[in-house]
């Protein structure tokens, strides 16, 4: 009898040790991901706050909105959930703090999807309606679209904030996230996907597919009439295909698991839940690569900004490393000349100039 009790206690100690090991690994992954996302988007903000050649004013507004939404993953979502995982007593039931954290998570996720959809819509207008672009994408309409992307999700997700409302919230030890219990209200869970994921995915797929087809037709015409070299890079495939592949890879598993949980009332395994819950945060870092670093004008402006910061903050280090041979006044002149380049009304980024790339 005593031997069986001792064995059960040892099993409990081993189980708790395994859980602590898994928790430490998950916390390390979340912190690393948050640091990468934050640093990547800070670098983007340093460049995009000033004008970049080839980017219009409207495109800069949309990309600033996307950068702010992606930065929220590292600055808001991850710290809040890690704080709850450290402060909350897991024997307690749902509380107001967990409901607020779940509301913030769902709002940031939804805002990112709406922002990606508005960027795809603007690119579609820039490519297919270049002459009407300035009249269609005015400053007022641009700001209204951005405001809709940030204000509509909180209104739609407001029921999550009420502890005694229709949506129950619990803290998941598997994903270290405050998750709504969508199985308690199947209709509301399905409505979230119908109002957020499916419309945004449809707009992105339609817009990017049309732009990709237009670029492909233009490329074939240029190859036919001007004997274009086959070795020339396909800009459409290099930008649009990775953007859509990253979007569906990061967001589809999370939405599928939410629908599966709502319909069947069952959950997936521990590590699968952890991966699919945090995959959308990875999209916040991939956006920095596909929307910014792949653009040549952005890389050039980043080098200028980085050199200017080096000269301003550490002039001795700059002279020692020999990273620049200009004086500070020359740097200011170069940056000012770059800032005076007005973005063409029909050009928002590398994917907006696909038709005129050659």
């Amino acid at each position: 009898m005593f031997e069986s009790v001792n064995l059960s206690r040892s099993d409990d100690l081993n189980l708790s040790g395994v859980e602590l090991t898994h928790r430490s690994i998950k916390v390390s992954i979340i912190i690393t991901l948050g640091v990468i996302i934050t640093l990547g988007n800070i670098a983007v903000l340093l460049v995009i706050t000033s004008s970049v050649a080839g980017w219009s004013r409207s495109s800069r507004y949309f990309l600033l909105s996307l950068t702010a939404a992606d930065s929220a993953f590292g600055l808001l979502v991850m710290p809040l959930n890690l704080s709850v995982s450290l402060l909350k007593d897991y024997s307690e039931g749902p509380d107001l703090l967990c409901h607020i954290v779940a509301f913030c998570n769902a709002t940031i996720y939804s805002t990112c999807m709406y922002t990606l959809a508005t960027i795809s819509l603007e690119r579609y207008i820039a490519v297919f309606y270049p002459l009407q672009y300035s009249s269609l994408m005015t400053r007022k309409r641009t700001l209204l679209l951005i405001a809709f992307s940030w204000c509509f999700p909180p209104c739609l997700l407001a029921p999550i904030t009420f502890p005694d409302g229709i949506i129950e919230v619990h803290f998941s030890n598997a994903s270290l996230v405050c998750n709504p219990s969508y199985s308690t209200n199947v209709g509301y869970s399905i409505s979230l996907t119908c109002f957020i994921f499916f419309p945004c995915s449809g707009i992105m797929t339609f817009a990017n597919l049309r732009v990709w087809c237009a670029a492909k037709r233009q490329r074939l015409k240029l190859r036919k009439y001007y004997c274009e070299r086959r070795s020339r890079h396909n800009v459409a495939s290099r930008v649009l295909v990775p953007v859509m592949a990253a979007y569906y890879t990061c967001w589809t598993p999370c939405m599928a698991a939410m629908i599966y949980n709502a319909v069947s009332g069952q959950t997936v395994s521990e590590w699968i839940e952890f991966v699919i819950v945090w995959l959308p945060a990875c999209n916040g870092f991939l956006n920095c690569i596909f929307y910014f670093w792949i653009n040549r004008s952005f890389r050039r402006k980043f080098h200028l900004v980085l050199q200017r910061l080096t000269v301003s903050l550490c002039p001795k280090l700059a002279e020692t490393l020999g990273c620049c041979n200009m004086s500070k006044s020359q740097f200011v002149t170069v940056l000012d000349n770059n800032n005076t380049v007005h973005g063409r009304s029909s050009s928002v980024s590398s994917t907006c100039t696909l038709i005129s790339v050659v």
Side-chain angles (χ1 to χ4, degrees):
M1 178 177 178
F2 290 103
E3 291 179 358
S4 63
V5 172
N6 291 333
L7 288 175
S8 63
R9 289 179 179 177
S10 63
D11 292 340
D12 292 339
L13 291 175
N14 292 333
L15 181 61
S16 62
V18 172
E19 290 179 351
L20 290 176
T21 302
H22 288 181
R23 183 178 297 277
S24 62
I25 294 174
K26 294 174 184 177
V27 171
S28 301
I29 294 174
I30 294 173
I31 293 176
T32 303
L33 183 61
V35 171
I36 293 174
I37 293 174
T38 303
L39 293 178
N41 285 281
I42 287 176
V44 169
L45 285 174
L46 289 175
V47 179
I48 203 172
T49 49
S50 59
S51 62
V52 180
W55 288 1
S56 66
R57 182 180 59 184
S58 297
S59 67
R60 287 176 56 205
Y61 288 158
F62 283 115
L63 294 174
L64 279 172
S65 176
L66 178 63
T67 304
D70 291 337
S71 301
F73 281 114
L75 298 177
L76 185 63
V77 172
M78 295 178 179
L80 284 177
N81 288 278
L82 289 178
S83 299
V84 173
S85 66
L86 296 175
L87 299 176
K88 184 175 175 58
D89 186 1
Y90 303 110
S91 62
E92 298 178 356
D95 53 7
L96 179 60
L97 176 61
C98 207
H99 277 266
I100 294 176
V101 173
F103 171 75
C104 293
N105 296 341
T107 300
I108 297 301
Y109 280 32
S110 303
T111 301
C112 287
M113 282 191 281
Y114 276 114
T115 304
L116 290 171
T118 54
I119 290 176
S120 299
L121 180 63
E122 189 220 10
R123 290 178 171 178
Y124 175 82
I125 296 174
V127 172
F128 289 96
Y129 304 97
L131 298 180
Q132 295 85 9
Y133 178 83
S134 58
S135 59
L136 292 175
M137 296 304 301
T138 60
R139 183 175 181 270
K140 181 179 180 180
R141 291 179 180 177
T142 300
L143 296 179
L144 285 176
L145 285 174
I146 294 175
F148 174 80
S149 301
W150 284 89
C151 297
F152 181 70
C155 298
L156 184 65
L157 300 168
I160 299 178
T161 59
F162 301 105
D164 299 327
I166 62 175
I167 300 297
E168 296 181 1
V169 175
H170 67 279
F171 183 81
S172 174
N173 293 327
S175 58
L176 301 182
V177 170
C178 290
N179 286 327
S181 299
Y182 297 104
S183 58
T184 59
N185 195 321
V186 180
Y188 187 75
S189 304
I190 296 177
S191 65
L192 289 180
T193 57
C194 293
F195 281 102
I196 297 176
F197 178 71
F198 291 122
C200 296
S201 301
I203 292 174
M204 288 186 63
T205 303
F206 173 79
N208 287 290
L209 185 61
R210 287 292 307 276
V211 173
W212 182 82
C213 292
K216 185 178 181 180
R217 289 195 299 267
Q218 185 70 12
R219 183 179 174 85
L220 292 176
K221 290 180 181 179
L222 292 172
R223 180 180 296 173
K224 179 180 179 180
Y225 293 106
Y226 298 100
C227 300
E228 180 193 7
R229 296 181 180 179
R230 294 181 178 269
S231 60
R232 185 181 293 274
H233 296 292
N234 191 341
V235 179
S237 299
R238 190 178 61 182
V239 178
L240 298 180
V241 173
V243 164
M244 294 305 302
Y247 172 80
Y248 280 109
T249 301
C250 294
W251 291 99
T252 304
C254 184
M255 297 296 109
M258 187 179 71
I259 296 175
Y260 172 78
N261 184 20
V263 174
S264 65
Q266 300 177 357
T267 58
V268 296
S269 61
E270 175 185 358
W271 281 99
I272 294 179
E273 179 182 345
F274 176 79
V275 171
I276 63 178
V277 168
W278 289 105
L279 261 181
C282 298
N283 195 218
F285 173 71
L286 295 176
N287 288 334
C288 295
I289 298 175
F290 297 138
Y291 283 94
F292 300 102
W293 296 107
I294 204 170
N295 186 281
R296 184 180 301 176
S297 299
F298 176 86
R299 294 197 303 269
R300 289 177 179 175
K301 191 61 179 291
F302 176 76
H303 292 157
L304 289 174
V305 172
L306 186 62
Q307 290 175 354
R308 183 181 183 182
L309 290 176
T310 304
V311 172
S312 301
L313 301 178
C314 303
K316 295 183 179 179
L317 179 62
E319 294 177 359
T320 303
L321 296 177
C323 63
C324 54
N325 297 321
M326 299 183 187
S327 64
K328 184 176 179 180
S329 60
Q330 289 175 320
F331 268 116
V332 175
T333 303
V334 172
L335 288 172
D336 289 340
N337 290 335
N338 194 15
N339 289 336
T340 58
V341 179
H342 298 285
R344 296 187 301 272
S345 61
S346 61
S347 176
V348 293
S349 65
S350 58
T351 54
C352 293
T353 56
L354 294 175
I355 295 180
S356 60
V357 111
V358 181

